[in-house]
Amino acid sequence: MNHTPTTEQRLWMYRHMVLSRYLEERIESLYMEGKTPVFNMAKGPIPGEMHLSNGQEPCAVGVCVHLTPEDIVTATHRPHHIAVAKGVDLDAMVAEIFGKATGLAGGRGGHMHLFDAKVNFSCSGIIGEGLGPAVGAALSRKLQGKPGVAVAFMGEGAANQGAFHEALNLAAVWQLPVVFVIEDNAWGISVAKQASTAVPRNDRRASAYGMPGVHVADNDVEAIFSAAGDAIARAREGQGPTLIEIETARLAGHFMGDGEDYRPKGEKEGLKQRDPIPRYRRQLLDAELLDDISDTDLVEQAHARIEAAIRFAQDSEFLPPEAALEMVFV
Amino acid sequence: MSMTTTGAGTRKLTIARAMAEATAQEMRNDPRVFVMGEDVGPLGGVFGNTRGLYDEFGAERVRDTPISETAFIGAAVGAASDGMRPIVELMFVDFFGVCMDAIYNLMAKNIYFSGGKVKVPMVLMTSTGGGYSDAGQHSQCLYGTFAHLPGMKVVAPSNAYDAKGLMTAAIRDDNPVVFMYHKSLQGMGWLGTEKGATVPVPEESYALEIGKATVVREGHDVTLVSLAAGVHHCLRAAQALEDEGFSAEVVDLRSLVPLDRETIRASVAKTGRLIVVDEDYHSYGVSGEIIASVVEHDHACLKAAPRRVAYPDIPIPFAPTMEQWALPNADKIVDAFHQMMLS
Ligand SMILES: Cc1ncc(C[n+]2csc(CCOP(=O)(O)OP(=O)(O)O)c2C)c(N)n1
């Protein structure tokens, strides 16, 4: 079935892409503080690894627009766009990225380990390890007779991890309400998809597990919306899991500080020209769902919201160091 | 690979370069040696330890893998048993969770299960350690976890000279060797770098015997035992103690399996005091093993209860304030010595 978003949904998707992008632009510049001229990951207000998701926002909004806070999402080491679209508390999320007391985990988790139980969001830095928990959450809903679907996001690199195959089979054999979403950005760090994956498209692997496999080309917001709408509706109706692979684009390096020498010349420039956010803006302007004034308004509001979250994080304190000993158990 | 030479015996290398050089030399001599892992090819390894190998040996012998650790580490076991000498990389030791069966039920047990008739000559190299806010899934050491399980040798160098010699030895060994390299010692600028790890390294190939600790600083008041990054904390602490008029001996374990208990015992017999420094978790680990090895042999040699400066039993926190507080450092070692002298 071809789902068409309502105007409200279209603007919601656009707004959340803008929010996520601006958040990452701000993180990018704050992350570099203290890291020039010598790039040392341990320095600056945001130390550690930083995996940006810019370019991949359509995957997050096209899926999450169909979800309610009760639905479950598991994400990856590249989680910001999905967290924003799932409605994770922005202030607490940014504070966590800064390692502050007011962060989601008081600074214990950081950017790769964001947990917001209020909206059933979590992520993990181990490739392929979000799938099992999504299957289990779906099982839990089934056992408790509660509504809700679980969506496991992953990169295309994760589709070669054992957990991927085990989780797909498990979800299918138990007909659980799960949607597996692969964000195919063509690269796993420096290794190209075709060098690591024996089939050109991972959605074809779905047939091995008796579930529908859907492919979405060209990072297209509304095509993602439609495919995800179908899959989530099927899951809600008790018709079992679906695998979706989305062709998307990683506009940044694998992590900040990545020299990206492995990319073919011109690839990045080409991807930037097809940046999904200006593309979608154009689409909305052409459809007269947006005009320059309402666009400026929306963008300014999004920026103000992010600036507020960043200020909140910056103004927050760190927990006392001894708090490191707390929360191992509850 | 080209190396800058500043004169015989004075050419300094980082651990990353030293590992790559040892690997290249063995690959030139022995066609059975090959490398597999994530991003070990054109990128040269996320931590630089395969840099230059792809250019020299090509994609057939320096193989980028899918993110399929169970498969490619299991494959290394199979290839090793079939006459090859694979070197595989587990990018961060923290990722052992997805592939431990291939490591400890296959790699570590096949020799025994075959009554010694099947050899498993492979090297599993893996990065350890934190200190740069990469949080609890990318900062662990897990030395004790690997050393606990019988059937695999485990080495963890503190400097490039040892790294090259141990890497060569590991590749030539007919047994599986886990080569644990600490990120803060790699010489990758982006991780910050312990200067003391970058030392003169001979250009010619050489092997160090696996299972030999070394006394890197002599002293007579206390023995500080550690490995990898911890050795550098100990050396700084020994310097601080010297300024206070005490002389600390520092033992660099270099190898956890086999463990050179003789060298540790001889040192403690001389100093009468023992502090073990370990970035791995406090309980059930290397520090307990070292202390037990001394005490069960001869508790009368001790003038004070032994102490350990280890990582608390908590997942590693992201926030730099919490992480730095939890990590071992020279000040904590000096403190431990003071406490020891008070009691
Ligand atoms: C089990 C495991 N192996 C390796 C890694 C190291 N690693 C982190 S991200 C990454 C590439 C992931 O590629 P993909 O799944 O396509 O996601 P992307 O980074 O492109 O978003 C690798 C190999 C890891 N985190 N976990």
Side-chain angles (χ1 to χ4, degrees):
Chain A
M1 207 171 86
N2 196 21
H3 297 260
T4 312
T6 62
T7 300
E8 200 190 341
Q9 287 173 318
R10 286 187 162 119
L11 292 174
W12 187 95
M13 291 193 287
Y14 176 58
R15 185 165 59 247
H16 283 79
M17 291 206 291
V18 170
L19 269 172
S20 175
R21 178 66 60 88
Y22 189 67
L23 169 65
E24 293 211 329
E25 283 171 5
R26 293 294 284 123
I27 288 178
E28 193 173 354
S29 72
L30 291 160
Y31 182 82
M32 288 312 293
E33 280 179 17
K35 295 192 182 72
T36 51
V38 179
F39 183 83
N40 177 341
M41 215 174 245
K43 305 282 187 208
I46 308 178
E49 284 184 72
M50 179 51 64
H51 309 84
L52 298 178
S53 63
N54 46 21
Q56 301 187 190
E57 297 90 346
C59 310
V61 299
V63 173
C64 292
V65 66
H66 299 287
L67 302 178
T68 69
E70 288 71 42
D71 293 318
I72 299 113
V73 162
T74 65
T76 68
H77 58 289
R78 201 180 299 291
H80 301 156
H81 56 320
I82 305 167
V84 168
K86 186 64 175 67
V88 169
D89 180 327
L90 271 177
D91 290 340
M93 168 175 155
V94 177
E96 186 62 28
I97 293 170
F98 276 76
K100 296 297 183 73
T102 52
L104 290 164
R108 295 179 183 83
H111 122 99
M112 271 191 281
H113 314 106
L114 302 169
F115 288 73
D116 189 348
K118 283 202 212 95
V119 295
N120 291 294
F121 178 90
S122 66
C123 61
S124 160
I126 308 294
I127 302 303
E129 292 301 287
L131 282 75
V135 172
L139 172 64
S140 163
R141 293 296 168 85
K142 193 174 175 179
L143 294 176
Q144 295 182 71
K146 285 191 187 161
V149 301
V151 180
F153 283 87
M154 75 208 84
E156 85 294 337
N160 297 314
Q161 189 61 280
F164 171 85
H165 300 272
E166 297 182 21
L168 260 67
N169 182 62
L170 192 59
V173 75
W174 289 345
Q175 283 294 292
L176 295 172
V178 192
V179 180
F180 300 99
V181 178
I182 302 176
E183 298 178 75
D184 172 15
N185 63 18
W187 292 99
I189 310 186
S190 73
V191 180
K193 185 187 190 187
Q194 71 270 18
S196 66
T197 308
V199 289
R201 282 173 33 186
N202 281 305
D203 53 291
R204 295 185 182 159
R205 289 173 156 177
S207 65
Y209 303 105
M211 71 174 79
V214 184
H215 185 254
V216 182
D218 199 27
N219 216 10
D220 181 323
V221 176
E222 299 206 354
I224 297 166
F225 175 92
S226 177
D230 259 351
I232 291 165
R234 287 187 63 252
R236 289 204 201 286
E237 287 156 17
Q239 293 175 42
T242 305
L243 173 65
I244 301 174
E245 182 165 70
I246 302 165
E247 263 174 26
T248 187
R250 194 186 82 198
L251 296 181
H254 170 70
F255 52 26
M256 288 197 64
D258 179 355
E260 297 183 73
D261 295 337
Y262 49 82
R263 290 228 209 214
K265 260 207 169 52
E267 179 185 278
K268 218 166 139 170
E269 294 64 37
L271 292 176
K272 282 193 169 151
Q273 273 169 15
R274 310 229 0 106
D275 186 329
I277 296 183
R279 261 169 72 194
Y280 200 51
R281 173 183 297 128
R282 183 78 265 151
Q283 219 172 304
L284 296 183
L285 289 170
D286 288 349
E288 295 181 4
L289 298 174
L290 200 64
D291 56 34
D292 285 338
I293 296 170
S294 57
D295 182 37
T296 309
D297 229 36
L298 180 152
V299 169
E300 275 175 6
Q301 278 178 28
H303 291 192
R305 179 66 195 91
I306 296 301
E307 291 301 341
I310 288 169
R311 251 193 327 277
F312 173 79
Q314 287 173 326
D315 291 347
S316 297
E317 303 292 328
F318 286 108
L319 282 177
E322 311 81 64
L325 302 177
E326 295 163 8
M327 302 295 159
V328 179
F329 299 110
V330 289
Chain B
M1 293 173 61
S2 69
M3 295 287 175
T4 38
T5 309
T6 53
T10 62
R11 180 197 62 152
K12 285 189 176 180
L13 290 187
T14 62
I15 289 186
R17 293 274 177 191
M19 289 172 72
E21 184 169 279
T23 305
Q25 288 173 338
E26 291 309 295
M27 288 181 79
R28 282 176 210 134
N29 288 340
D30 186 344
R32 298 171 300 174
V33 179
F34 72 105
V35 183
M36 289 194 280
E38 290 151 21
D39 306 279
V40 300
L43 189 72
V46 170
F47 303 110
N49 43 310
T50 57
R51 200 174 288 173
L53 300 179
Y54 180 87
D55 289 341
E56 181 173 349
F57 301 102
E60 195 67 8
R61 290 181 76 194
V62 183
R63 310 182 77 91
D64 272 337
T65 60
I67 310 170
S68 309
E69 289 88 355
T70 289
F72 72 77
I73 297 175
V77 175
S81 309
D82 194 55
M84 298 296 284
R85 302 186 87 84
I87 302 169
V88 281
E89 169 144 294
L90 177 63
M91 191 187 291
F92 289 70
V93 73
D94 314 66
F95 306 161
F96 82 103
V98 303
C99 56
M100 197 57 167
D101 197 70
I103 297 170
Y104 93 113
N105 266 330
L106 303 178
M107 182 183 92
K109 290 178 182 161
N110 283 2
I111 293 178
Y112 193 76
F113 288 163
S114 70
K117 293 189 187 71
V118 170
K119 290 181 188 159
V120 188
M122 63 181 277
V123 182
L124 175 67
M125 30 181 206
T126 188
S127 74
T128 64
Y132 63 103
S133 295
D134 215 358
Q137 295 178 336
H138 291 76
S139 302
Q140 300 169 94
C141 285
L142 303 179
Y143 300 131
T145 304
F146 282 78
H148 178 65
L149 298 162
M152 45 194 170
K153 298 185 180 180
V154 179
V155 300
S158 69
N159 63 68
Y161 178 86
D162 289 353
K164 181 171 174 184
L166 289 170
M167 190 69 194
T168 304
I171 297 168
R172 292 180 189 169
D173 204 307
D174 278 341
N175 301 288
V177 180
V178 182
F179 190 105
M180 306 181 92
Y181 57 90
H182 194 287
K183 278 166 261 166
S184 76
L185 307 181
Q186 273 308 85
M188 304 296 283
W190 55 275
L191 284 169
T193 284
E194 176 61 63
K195 286 200 174 58
T198 302
V199 298
V201 177
E203 296 202 29
E204 66 275 11
S205 176
Y206 60 95
L208 289 181
E209 188 181 344
I210 294 176
K212 292 286 177 219
T214 178
V215 175
V216 289
R217 179 181 171 120
E218 294 202 21
H220 46 76
D221 292 323
V222 61
T223 298
L224 308 178
V225 176
S226 194
L227 67 160
V231 173
H232 300 279
H233 300 313
C234 290
L235 288 169
R236 274 189 289 273
Q239 189 56 51
L241 289 172
E242 183 181 302
D243 297 343
E244 298 177 8
F246 297 106
S247 114
E249 178 145 306
V250 179
V251 176
D252 180 349
L253 291 172
R254 299 197 290 196
S255 162
L256 291 175
V257 181
L259 178 62
D260 184 356
R261 293 184 169 88
E262 293 312 312
T263 297
I264 303 163
R265 286 169 183 159
S267 175
V268 180
K270 182 172 76 172
T271 64
R273 296 186 186 88
L274 171 63
I275 299 174
V276 187
V277 179
D278 185 12
E279 194 185 316
D280 197 4
Y281 303 118
H282 181 97
S283 301
Y284 303 100
V286 171
S287 56
E289 182 59 31
I290 303 293
I291 291 170
S293 297
V294 169
V295 173
E296 71 188 356
H297 176 70
D298 174 15
H299 69 276
C301 73
L302 288 169
K303 297 176 195 152
R307 289 186 171 260
R308 42 183 157 171
V309 176
Y311 207 88
D313 295 323
I314 56 169
I316 294 167
F318 159 72
T321 41
M322 287 194 253
E323 189 193 15
Q324 295 303 323
W325 175 83
L327 281 165
N329 58 35
D331 289 346
K332 291 186 184 179
I333 301 167
V334 170
D335 267 2
F337 179 73
H338 290 161
Q339 302 280 331
M340 190 175 244
M341 297 307 276
L342 283 176
S343 54

